[in-house]
């Protein structure tokens, strides 16, 4: 059976030693998040993840969701009870403003504990995950009445939420969307159409489901300019606010799919369902983007979360499984063979995953902190800088951490040899679950295009220049620090490659946009390497400071941190040169062959 232990010490190291959370005491909600309080909350989340969510992960994968003749959907055994404990613990509202029933704590804390929960049970955590996205959209774009009507029940998890964009003929290109909204005299709309692939679309864990649906109002312009966003509840709230009349929305089927079997991915049929406009007419994509940006961070988190769970199992297995002898002589002479962890190639795999997970976690929490600053700081300039960095980091985080999440779930599976391919160890589930994160919330190719086509040039390149400066300044400020020079040397080289690739795009992609498209995925990964490399340099600095101050029982942890960081710098960072070379080869060869020659 698979194992999982929430890495609380890793989280605390990033929050306290690297990001210095106490420096943000002036932000609303942060003063309550003292180091002790944060550790206590992380500990409680760890307990819930290990003891409640994780035990129903493998069984949920095996059982899946079932749909009844009447369109109702039953989640796997144990999910409802686990979700109830999650809900009763107030986890859904951890970072939601107190005015709507939340606790107003930092989003970075919500993100940190969200990792444990998604590691423990990604499928189950998608039900509240989509609810959180829907809450964010209603908070920003909903009317006061909508906020009063829907938010408290969604924040306490009595009602859950969904996000309905995709239709059979329209996924990435939402301009093709056909679902129709017809205005009614009472100000509501009649919504008709079919949505597919809707996560958590129907289930038996909540009293009501609040669908956020993109649709085109009759007579609205074609393309993305004519799309509006609607609240379509499964049950229309009555005068007392409780679920009343059944609305014209139903689950037509559950999709059969590769992974996340515990999450009901539904075909949703809207048959003159009553819907209520959120925000302005034809501005639905703006409103949905609030939800999507939040969700993209949450999907990046899923990539890390699954890779972490897979890593823990692979490391445990590598210590136990005996096979062959160490190249440098037996390490367990009393046994008939050595444990496979003595083999350098097994260590290569484990350290690759570990180095990405620890660097990725720092990147994730750094990004979540930018979100806190962007939404809570009193100083406008500070808010703007953080918002720039958040916008730039989001596609990189989503694309890179989920590509790595899948690669590393496979790498961890490889450590098990044939036993990884057999279902009972759970490694196959990690691989299958991790795969979807590369696809939904905008396939990773689209994240790369968002980065190159939109985020790079936004506001005259303000965000990218600010980040390059921050990383360059870090290298410069620490130039005299001998103990850090190994890290800054590699980081500087990676930054040079990234800056050169950025310049190449400026010179070669304006006139020939295919050059941008051809290099976009490599650019996203090049950027990811540099940002995670920057996180490693900061972690190394923090680890060295901790050791210099007398680390006590934390000493082995901090020394191992430096070893893992060195591995990242010497074994992973050099990939920046390869990525840059690919980008600079341009689109010509790629576009040379006729479509029918493929
Ligand atoms: C399990 C699961 C859960 C999901 N949950 C939800 C949900 O809750 N709500 C929801 O609305 N949707 C959901 N989706 C849908 C998901 O977001 C889409 O599948 C995804 O956005 C891609 O759309 P598509 O499948 O139509 O692929 P397409 O848009 O057809 O894309 C196919 C390929 O072409 C590439 N491509 C497309 N356009 C371009 C372009 N202009 N330039 C370069 N490359 C391009 C894409 O990157 C992709 O690799 C879910 C999907 C799955 C499988």
């Amino acid at each position: 059976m698979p194992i999982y232990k929430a890495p609380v010490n890793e989280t605390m190291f990033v929050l306290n030693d690297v990001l210095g959370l106490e420096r943000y005491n002036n932000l609303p909600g942060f003063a309550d998040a003292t180091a002790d309080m944060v550790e206590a909350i992380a500990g409680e989340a760890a307990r819930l993840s290990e003891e409640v969510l994780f035990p129903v992960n493998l069984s949920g994968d095996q059982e899946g969701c079932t749909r009844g003749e009447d369109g109702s959907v039953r989640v796997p055994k144990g999910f409802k009870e686990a979700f109830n404990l999650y809900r009763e613990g107030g986890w859904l509202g951890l970072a939601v403003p107190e005015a709507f029933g939340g606790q107003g704590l930092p989003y970075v804390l919500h993100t940190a504990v969200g990792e444990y929960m998604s590691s423990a049970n990604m499928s189950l955590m998608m039900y509240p995950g989509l609810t959180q996205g829907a809450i964010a959209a209603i908070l920003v774009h909903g009317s006061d009445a909508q906020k009063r009507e829907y938010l408290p029940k969604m924040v306490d998890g009595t009602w859950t939420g969904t996000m309905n964009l995709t239709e059979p003929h329209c996924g990435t290109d939402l301009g093709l969307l056909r679902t129709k909204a017809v205005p009614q005299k009472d100000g509501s709309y009649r919504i008709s159409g079919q949505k597919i692939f809707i996560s958590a679309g129907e289930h038996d864990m909540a009293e009501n489901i609040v669908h956020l649906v993109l649709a085109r109002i009759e007579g609205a312009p074609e393309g993305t300019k004519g799309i509006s966003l609607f609240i379509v509840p499964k049950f229309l709230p009555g005068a007392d606010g409780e679920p009343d009349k059944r609305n014209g929305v139903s689950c037509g089927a559950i999709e059969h799919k590769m992974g996340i079997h515990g999450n009901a991915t539904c075909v949703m049929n809207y048959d003159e369902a009553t819907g209520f406009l959120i925000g302005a007419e034809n501005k639905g994509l703006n409103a949905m983007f609030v939800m999507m940006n939040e969700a993209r961070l949450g999907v990046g988190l899923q990539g890390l979360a699954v890779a972490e769970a897979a890593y823990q199992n692979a490391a445990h297995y590598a210590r136990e499984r005996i096979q062959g002898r160490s190249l440098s002589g037996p390490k367990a002479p009393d046994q008939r063979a050595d444990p496979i962890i003595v083999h350098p190639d097994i260590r290569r795999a484990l350290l690759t995953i570990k180095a990405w997970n620890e660097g990725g976690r720092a990147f994730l929490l750094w990004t979540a902190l930018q979100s806190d600053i962007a939404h809570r700081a009193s100083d406008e300039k500070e808010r703007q800088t953080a918002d720039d960095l958040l916008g730039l980091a989001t596609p990189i985080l989503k694309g890179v951490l989920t590509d790595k999440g899948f690669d590393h779930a496979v790498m961890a599976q490889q450590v098990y040899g044939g036993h990884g391919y057999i279902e009972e160890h759970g490694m196959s589930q990690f691989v299958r679950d991790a795969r979807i994160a590369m696809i939904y919330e905008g396939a990773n190719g689209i994240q790369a295009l968002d980065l190159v086509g939109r985020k790079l040039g936004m506001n005259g390149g303000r965000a990218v220049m600010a980040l390059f400066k921050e990383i360059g300044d870090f290298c410069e400020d620490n130039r005299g620090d001998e103990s850090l020079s190994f890290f800054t040397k590699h980081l500087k080289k990676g930054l040079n490659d990234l800056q050169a690739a950025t310049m190449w795009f400026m010179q070669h992609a304006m006139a020939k946009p295919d050059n941008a498209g051809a290099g976009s995925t490599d650019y996203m990964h090049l950027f990811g390497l540099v940002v995670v490399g920057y996180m490693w340099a900061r972690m190394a600095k923090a680890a060295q400071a901790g050791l210099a101050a007398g680390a006590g029982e934390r000493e082995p942890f901090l020394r191992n941190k430096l070893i893992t960081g060195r591995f990242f710098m010497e074994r992973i960072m050099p990939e920046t040169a390869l990525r840059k070379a690919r980008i600079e080869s341009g689109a010509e060869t790629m576009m040379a062959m006729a479509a029918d020659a493929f």
Side-chain angles (χ1 to χ4, degrees):
M1 289 296 277
I3 53 159
Y4 174 67
K5 186 150 181 35
V8 176
N9 57 343
E10 295 287 349
T11 310
M12 296 311 293
F13 172 71
V14 175
L15 293 180
N16 294 335
D17 298 63
V18 183
L19 299 179
L21 212 58
E22 77 286 347
R23 280 190 288 127
Y24 300 92
N25 264 347
N26 58 334
L27 299 183
F30 275 64
D32 295 333
T34 57
D36 287 348
M37 168 70 104
V38 168
E39 193 157 5
I41 292 174
E44 216 23 63
R47 200 191 56 71
L48 182 84
S49 304
E50 293 161 10
E51 296 174 16
V52 177
L53 304 173
F54 190 60
V56 292
N57 191 39
L58 190 60
S59 56
D61 176 59
Q62 286 159 354
E63 184 184 336
C65 298
T66 35
R67 180 178 171 277
E69 289 285 304
D70 58 354
S72 62
V73 171
R74 208 181 61 225
V75 294
K77 262 194 243 40
F79 267 41
K80 205 168 177 173
E81 294 74 12
F83 182 64
N84 272 337
L85 288 173
Y86 168 90
R87 171 165 52 201
E88 283 159 21
W91 295 105
L92 228 154
L94 196 75
V96 175
E98 285 163 297
F100 300 105
Q103 294 156 61
L105 285 164
Y107 182 66
V108 64
L109 176 57
H110 160 88
T111 306
V113 300
E115 180 208 319
Y116 310 160
M117 297 176 185
S118 283
S119 283
N121 198 324
M122 174 171 159
S123 294
L124 177 48
M125 285 313 295
M126 285 174 67
Y127 295 92
L130 281 142
T131 309
Q132 269 143 359
I135 289 171
I138 297 175
L139 257 178
V140 177
H141 291 282
S143 66
D144 287 344
Q146 286 169 339
K147 287 181 197 169
R148 275 195 307 274
E149 187 157 30
Y150 292 98
L151 288 183
K153 288 204 155 52
M154 294 172 80
V155 171
D156 75 15
T158 320
W159 297 1
T160 59
T162 69
M163 167 167 172
N164 290 238
L165 293 77
T166 309
E167 299 178 7
H169 56 283
C170 122
T172 303
D173 188 355
L174 290 171
L176 303 173
L177 186 140
R178 285 190 202 134
T179 296
K180 182 173 82 172
V182 181
Q184 303 297 300
K185 286 205 185 83
D186 63 0
S188 70
Y189 292 78
R190 289 269 178 273
I191 312 288
S192 300
Q194 188 179 66
K195 297 285 179 180
I196 60 166
F197 302 168
I198 303 308
S199 300
E202 178 59 59
H203 58 86
D204 56 349
M205 297 199 297
E207 290 173 9
N208 202 359
I209 302 178
V210 180
H211 302 290
L212 293 201
V213 183
L214 285 183
R216 200 181 295 281
I217 297 175
E218 262 191 338
E222 292 287 303
T224 52
K225 290 198 167 66
I227 297 175
S228 304
L229 182 63
F230 298 88
I231 297 181
V232 185
K234 174 177 165 185
F235 292 100
L236 292 161
D240 58 357
E242 294 303 317
D244 189 17
K245 219 175 106 217
R246 185 77 159 83
N247 204 357
V249 46
S250 59
C251 166
I254 304 182
E255 310 282 3
H256 296 281
K257 57 191 193 290
M258 175 177 173
I260 52 164
H261 292 151
N263 195 271
T265 310
C266 300
V267 172
M268 298 302 298
N269 295 325
Y270 291 86
D271 187 10
E272 301 211 325
T274 302
F276 307 99
L277 185 71
I278 307 187
E281 278 186 14
N282 301 334
K283 296 279 182 233
L285 277 190
N286 291 359
M288 196 54 121
F289 261 112
V290 172
M291 189 161 173
M292 279 162 63
N293 279 332
E294 169 123 347
R296 282 177 180 172
L297 224 118
V299 175
L301 175 151
Q302 289 179 330
L304 165 67
V306 178
E308 173 65 29
Y311 166 77
Q312 290 188 13
N313 283 276
H316 178 74
Y317 189 78
R319 281 190 295 261
E320 304 267 307
R321 174 75 172 169
I322 58 163
Q323 217 59 201
R325 283 295 183 196
S326 159
L327 296 172
S328 56
K331 296 292 177 293
D334 52 325
Q335 299 193 62
R336 294 187 60 209
D338 284 333
I340 59 172
I341 200 155
V342 303
H343 304 311
D345 192 57
I346 292 286
R347 288 175 166 249
R348 172 196 57 79
L350 291 176
L351 269 167
T352 300
I353 313 174
K354 183 173 165 62
W356 266 109
N357 284 355
E358 292 176 21
R361 179 176 297 110
F363 178 30
L364 172 72
L365 297 181
W366 175 85
T367 308
L369 181 60
Q370 303 309 318
S371 172
D372 276 321
I373 301 169
H375 295 118
R376 302 183 191 211
S378 54
D379 179 62
E380 198 189 326
K381 176 88 185 60
E382 215 183 324
R383 278 204 309 272
Q384 182 203 77
T385 307
D387 195 50
D388 283 351
L389 293 176
L390 174 66
L392 179 66
T394 300
I396 304 169
L397 188 95
K398 196 282 183 182
V400 174
L401 293 196
T402 61
D403 275 358
K404 295 297 167 195
F406 177 71
D407 287 355
H408 294 160
V410 173
M411 217 179 249
Q413 186 187 36
Q414 187 75 8
V415 169
Y416 276 73
H419 299 269
Y421 198 70
I422 303 300
E423 292 290 341
E424 71 182 273
H425 290 287
M427 301 310 283
S428 156
Q429 183 189 2
F430 294 137
V431 171
R432 289 183 286 101
D433 284 359
R435 183 67 183 85
I436 186 56
M438 300 163 70
I439 300 171
Y440 58 21
E441 284 315 324
N444 284 356
I446 303 304
Q447 303 301 323
L449 284 179
D450 177 44
L451 174 66
V452 172
R454 255 170 35 90
K455 300 292 170 63
L456 268 193
M458 216 173 222
N459 301 309
R462 199 170 65 196
V464 79
M465 285 191 294
L467 189 54
F468 287 174
K469 182 171 181 321
E470 183 174 327
I471 300 174
D473 286 354
F474 179 91
C475 294
E476 196 54 32
D477 294 348
N478 292 287
R479 207 151 57 115
D481 186 341
E482 286 274 308
S483 62
L484 213 60
S485 63
F486 175 83
F487 289 88
T488 47
K489 181 185 75 187
H490 283 280
L491 178 59
K492 191 84 186 62
K493 193 172 167 317
L495 180 63
N496 287 344
D497 286 340
L498 178 60
Q499 284 173 320
T502 309
M503 189 59 79
W504 191 89
F505 276 140
M506 283 161 68
Q507 288 164 347
H508 298 90
M510 302 281 190
K512 281 195 186 158
D514 276 346
N515 278 333
S520 55
T521 289
D522 282 301
Y523 187 77
M524 178 178 79
H525 281 280
L526 169 50
F527 218 130
L529 284 159
V530 173
V531 180
V532 173
Y534 172 47
M535 293 299 135
W536 265 117
R538 288 181 61 172
M539 288 196 284
K541 187 176 161 96
Q544 272 160 356
L547 287 167
E553 59 185 31
R554 263 201 340 156
E555 190 178 328
F557 173 86
L558 296 176
R559 293 215 178 278
N560 291 336
K561 188 66 65 191
L562 290 172
I563 295 171
T564 313
R566 290 182 78 88
F567 180 89
F568 187 90
M569 289 300 179
E570 64 191 24
R571 287 268 173 169
I572 297 175
M573 266 312 254
E575 195 186 313
T576 57
L578 165 77
R579 298 282 183 184
K580 170 175 163 282
R582 283 186 184 154
I583 292 164
E584 290 176 353
S585 74
E588 206 170 318
T589 311
M590 212 179 268
M591 303 311 283
M593 219 149 62
D596 60 9
F598 279 84

